[in-house]
């Protein structure tokens, strides 16, 4: 049974589709927050210090039509750990390949996490993550038209069901919580060491860009290794391979041709998309994907 399996019953009880979609989150311990209708701003001052209320109490104090927020970090203690989020903010479509590569670098199993599609209608997402201890908030990486950040204690996200202020469209689930599975094997785990802040060190520019020391590339060995990677039809794998080859080659033709030769094994290969995506690599401030 998935956690979002009972929307109709909840809507009948509380009479509001926005609240019915958010309530299952609240019922496992996520701290709710009243948000202004069709906005992202909290209604009440001092919300970060307010006590956590139950789903039923929240339903009686909230007015129909208000958006719902989920307070993150310390207030949201669930059976699976503290609830935090990755804010994947993509403000233009051309920035998506670079943003997606940074996301998969910081969180390789992002596609296993519960996620919410923004009502903005673009590629932006909220990925929910559970951790043994509540997290603070920091920016992992950002580039031209995108940003990836950890959201924790002292912040909130707009819950699914809420209405986006610009488009009038709802935030909606991309991947639901699956309580039955999680009770058997646990919730998806993220590697917190990868969700790191940029560290200062050897060269100011390289550290700002998160670049490790570049080692000489054995292209014969690298191309041989590519022969064992068969995910060329999967877009996320395709992006990771392209980002790694771009970094190792410094964006030159040898790296691009190697990526094309590998990618052409897929029936989805599109030379224009290949060239456009290659040109978008290298602008991320995140630690790069390497060979």
């Amino acid at each position: 049974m998935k956690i979002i399996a009972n929307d109709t019953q909840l809507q009948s009880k509380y009479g509001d589709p926005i609240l019915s979609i958010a309530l299952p989150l609240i019922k496992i311990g996520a701290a709710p927050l009243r948000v202004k209708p069709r906005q992202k701003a909290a209604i009440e001052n001092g919300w970060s210090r307010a006590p956590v209320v139950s789903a039923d109490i929240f339903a009686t104090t909230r007015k129909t039509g208000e958006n719902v927020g989920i307070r993150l970090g310390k207030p949201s203690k669930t059976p699976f750990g503290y609830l935090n989020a990755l804010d994947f903010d993509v403000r233009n479509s051309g920035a998506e390949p670079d943003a997606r590569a940074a996301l998969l670098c910081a969180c390789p199993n992002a596609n296993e996490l519960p996620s919410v599609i923004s009502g903005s209608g673009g590629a932006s997402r909220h990925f929910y993550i559970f951790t043994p201890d509540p997290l603070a908030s920091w920016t992992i990486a950002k580039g031209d038209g995108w940003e990836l950040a950890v959201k924790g204690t002292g912040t909130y996200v707009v819950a699914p069901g809420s209405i986006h202020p610009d488009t009038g469209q709802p935030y909606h689930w991309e991947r639901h919580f699956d309580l039955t599975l999680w009770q058997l094997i646990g919730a998806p785990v993220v590697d917190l060491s990868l969700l790191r802040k940029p560290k200062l060190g050897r060269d100011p520019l390289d550290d700002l860009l998160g670049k490790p020391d570049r080692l000489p590339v054995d292209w014969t060995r690298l191309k041989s290794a590519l022969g064992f990677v068969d995910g060329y039809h999967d877009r996320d794998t395709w992006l990771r391979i392209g980002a790694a080859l771009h970094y190792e080659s410094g964006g030159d033709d040898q790296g691009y041709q190697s990526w094309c030769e590998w990618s052409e094994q897929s029936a989805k290969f599109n030379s224009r998309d290949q060239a456009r995506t290659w040109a978008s690599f290298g602008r991320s401030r995140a630690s790069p994907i390497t060979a």
Side-chain angles (χ1 to χ4, degrees):
M1 179 185 69
K2 292 182 178 180
I3 192 169
I4 312 298
N6 215 12
D7 288 352
T8 302
Q9 181 179 346
L10 289 168
Q11 184 173 340
S12 175
K13 178 178 179 180
Y14 294 103
D16 188 335
I18 294 177
L19 183 56
S20 70
I21 295 173
L23 269 174
L25 263 176
I26 302 167
K27 285 181 175 293
I28 66 164
L33 177 70
R34 294 174 62 202
V35 176
K36 296 178 181 178
R38 294 191 61 163
Q39 295 189 40
K40 299 180 183 180
I43 290 176
E44 298 167 348
N45 294 326
W47 59 265
S48 63
R49 300 181 299 276
V52 178
V53 299
S54 68
D56 286 337
I57 292 176
F58 181 71
T60 59
T61 57
R62 175 185 168 276
K63 296 180 180 178
T64 300
E66 291 177 354
N67 277 348
V68 175
I70 297 297
R71 295 164 57 189
L72 301 169
K74 189 174 182 179
S76 288
K77 187 176 183 180
T78 80
F80 308 104
Y82 290 93
L83 182 65
N84 308 275
L86 292 179
D87 186 11
F88 182 66
D89 183 18
V90 182
R91 294 180 288 278
N92 63 70
S93 58
E96 184 178 358
D98 221 21
R100 177 67 64 171
L103 170 67
L104 294 174
C105 181
C107 187
N109 66 332
N111 290 333
E112 301 173 6
L113 302 177
S115 59
V116 174
I117 298 176
S118 170
S120 65
S124 295
R125 302 284 192 276
H126 292 147
F127 296 90
Y128 287 115
I129 59 176
F130 296 94
T131 56
D133 299 302
L135 299 181
S137 299
W138 69 86
T139 298
I140 299 173
K142 61 182 177 180
D144 185 12
W146 65 272
E147 183 171 327
L148 176 65
V150 172
K151 298 294 185 182
T153 303
T155 66
Y156 64 89
V157 291
V158 178
S162 298
I163 305 301
H164 193 275
D166 298 326
T167 66
Q169 297 300 311
Y171 290 73
H172 60 278
W173 286 103
E174 180 179 41
R175 277 182 299 276
H176 298 295
F177 287 33
D178 193 332
L179 290 183
T180 301
L181 178 63
W182 291 2
Q183 287 167 352
L184 293 173
I185 65 173
V189 176
V190 298
D191 185 347
L192 293 180
S193 69
L194 297 178
L195 303 179
R196 59 190 180 277
K197 300 179 184 180
K199 296 180 180 179
L200 298 178
R202 49 195 169 75
D203 180 87
L205 180 58
D206 281 351
D207 287 307
L208 177 64
L209 299 177
K211 293 183 178 179
D213 293 329
R214 191 188 300 272
L215 301 175
V217 179
D218 182 341
W219 283 98
T220 300
R221 185 181 181 192
L222 191 150
K223 288 184 178 181
S224 176
L226 279 176
F228 294 91
V229 183
D230 60 1
Y232 37 78
H233 46 270
D234 175 72
R235 188 168 181 84
D236 286 340
T237 303
W238 176 73
L239 285 169
R240 288 176 62 83
I241 293 296
L245 290 172
H246 187 282
Y247 174 78
E248 298 297 352
S249 68
D252 71 13
D253 189 60
Q254 185 172 22
Y256 181 63
Q257 291 304 321
S258 298
W259 191 39
C260 286
E261 290 169 8
W262 177 80
S263 302
E264 284 171 352
Q265 299 176 84
S266 172
K268 299 178 182 179
F269 178 79
N270 180 296
S271 58
R272 293 182 63 184
D273 187 33
Q274 191 91 359
R276 182 172 57 249
T277 304
W278 181 262
S280 74
F281 291 135
R283 297 196 295 260
S284 171
R285 296 182 184 176
S287 296
I289 299 173
T290 70

